[in-house]
Amino acid sequence: TTEGAGGSSAKERGEDGAASASTSPSDQTLDVVDLLRQKPAGRRRVTSCDCAEESLFELAELGKAEGLSSGSPEEGWRLPFDSLKKLLEMIVEDGNAALATDMFRVLDGGSRSQFPFTWTFDASEARPFLIVCLIRSLYADAALTFLENSCKMSLPGRGRDDDQASFGTVVSCPYCANPALSVVKPYQGSETMVCSSCRYEFDLFSGTVLKTESEAPETYGLVMEDLLKVRFFGGRRGYTHTFTIESPSEGISQVYKCGTEGAEVPAKVGDRVTMISASASKSRNIKAIPPGWKSGEPKAL
C-alpha cells in the first residue's frame, strides 16, 4: 500500500510536471502562420508588403488581434523554424518573390531587437528551400539572383551591396542555356565541367584580360563576299577578336580567338572573364562535345 501510494504520488507529480512544462512560456510558440491559411484577408496583408520588416510587423499585429501571444511580455513571442518556412512558401505562392528574398535577408541577418518576437532560423536549410519554392513557382530569374547574392558576404559591420565580397559567379551553359553550369570562384583558373542538363563537357578558363585585338571583316566583291560568308556565324560576316587571358592562381595565360556579329568588343583589358570552350580533353575515345563543335573551340565569354 505504501509503494502504491508512493507510485501514485510519483505519477501525480509527473503529471503536474508535464502540465507545468507544457504551459511554460519558453516552450510556447506563436501559431499565427498557420492561422494565415484560414484568414485570407490577413494573409494578403502579410504577403503583399513591400519589405520584410513591414510584413513581420503585420504578422505581429495579426497575432495580437487573434490573441495568439505566448510567453511573458518581456520574452515576447517565438516563431519556430518550421513556421518561417511556411511563411516563405506562402509569400512565394502569393506572387511576391521580391518579398520572399528580402524576408530571408531579415531572418538571417537582420536586427531582431525591433520585433516583438524571436525566431529560430537555419540559413543552410532555408536557402535551398527558398530556391526550390521560387523555381517551383516559375520565378527562375529571382532564384538565380538569390543564388548569386548568396555567394556574396558583406564585410563585418557593413551590410551594404557595395561592400560585398563575391565568393563566386554563376555561369551558364553555352549549348543548352542551363543557367547553372558552374560557380566560378574569384581565385579559380581552369576547370572542366559537365553540364547537368545536356551532359556535354566544357572547359572553363577564368582570369584577367591582358590583351585584346580586333579585326574587321574584309571587303570583297559581291561574288567573293558570298563565298566568304560561311566563314562567320553560319553565313553572316562578323568581327574577329583575340583575347589573352591570365589565370590568377596557376600563373599561366591562354589565347582565344572568337567572333561577334557587331563591332563591340565583349571584354576590355583588366576585366575578369570566364571563357567557355568545347572540351579539349583527350582522356576519352569519343569526346563529349556537342555535334558540330570543334575541340577547344571557344563558345561563350
Side-chain angles (χ1 to χ4, degrees), residues 24-38:
S24 174
S26 61
D27 291 337
Q28 294 183 2
T29 58
L30 178 66
D31 201 26
V32 66
V33 177
D34 290 332
L35 183 66
L36 293 180
R37 300 186 183 276
Q38 308 171 12

Side-chain angles (χ1 to χ4, degrees), residues 81-241:
F81 181 56
D82 289 341
S83 295
L84 296 178
K85 291 172 63 177
K86 294 177 185 178
L87 179 61
L88 290 173
E89 187 175 19
M90 286 184 193
I91 295 174
V92 175
E93 289 177 352
D94 290 355
N96 200 343
L99 176 60
T101 55
D102 190 51
M103 183 69 70
F104 179 91
R105 174 189 63 83
V106 172
L107 295 177
D108 184 29
S111 174
R112 303 192 178 198
S113 60
Q114 58 180 323
F115 300 106
F117 49 78
T118 59
W119 61 82
T120 304
F121 193 74
D122 184 0
S124 61
E125 182 179 345
R127 183 176 292 108
F129 175 80
L130 179 56
I131 292 176
V132 170
C133 289
L134 291 170
I135 295 177
R136 187 172 55 196
S137 298
L138 303 181
Y139 292 108
D141 292 340
L144 289 176
T145 302
F146 175 71
L147 176 62
E148 186 170 358
N149 291 337
S150 297
C151 297
K152 300 177 181 179
M153 184 176 67
S154 298
L155 298 178
R158 300 297 182 88
R160 301 193 305 267
D161 292 340
D162 55 351
D163 290 322
Q164 286 184 335
S166 175
F167 280 80
T169 302
V170 180
V171 296
S172 58
C173 175
Y175 181 75
C176 68
N178 176 18
L181 174 64
S182 176
V183 177
V184 179
K185 281 73 174 177
Y187 54 83
Q188 196 165 338
S190 60
E191 66 172 338
T192 299
M193 297 296 299
V194 177
C195 178
S196 61
S197 179
C198 64
R199 301 298 181 182
Y200 289 121
E201 194 174 68
F202 301 93
D203 291 337
L204 281 66
F205 189 86
S206 303
T208 304
V209 178
L210 299 180
K211 182 181 178 182
T212 63
E213 294 180 356
S214 299
E215 178 184 350
E218 299 176 349
T219 303
Y220 295 92
L222 295 179
V223 177
M224 289 298 297
E225 182 177 333
D226 293 338
L227 293 177
L228 292 175
K229 278 183 179 180
V230 295
R231 181 181 176 186
F232 299 103
F233 308 105
R236 297 185 300 275
R237 298 169 58 204
Y239 291 77
T240 304
H241 308 284

Side-chain angles (χ1 to χ4, degrees), residues 243-272:
F243 299 96
T244 302
I245 305 173
E246 182 182 37
S247 168
S249 58
E250 302 170 3
I252 61 176
S253 61
Q254 294 278 2
V255 179
Y256 294 94
K257 191 173 184 179
C258 56
T260 59
E261 296 184 30
E264 183 179 357
V265 182
K268 63 182 183 298
V269 175
D271 288 347
R272 172 164 173 81

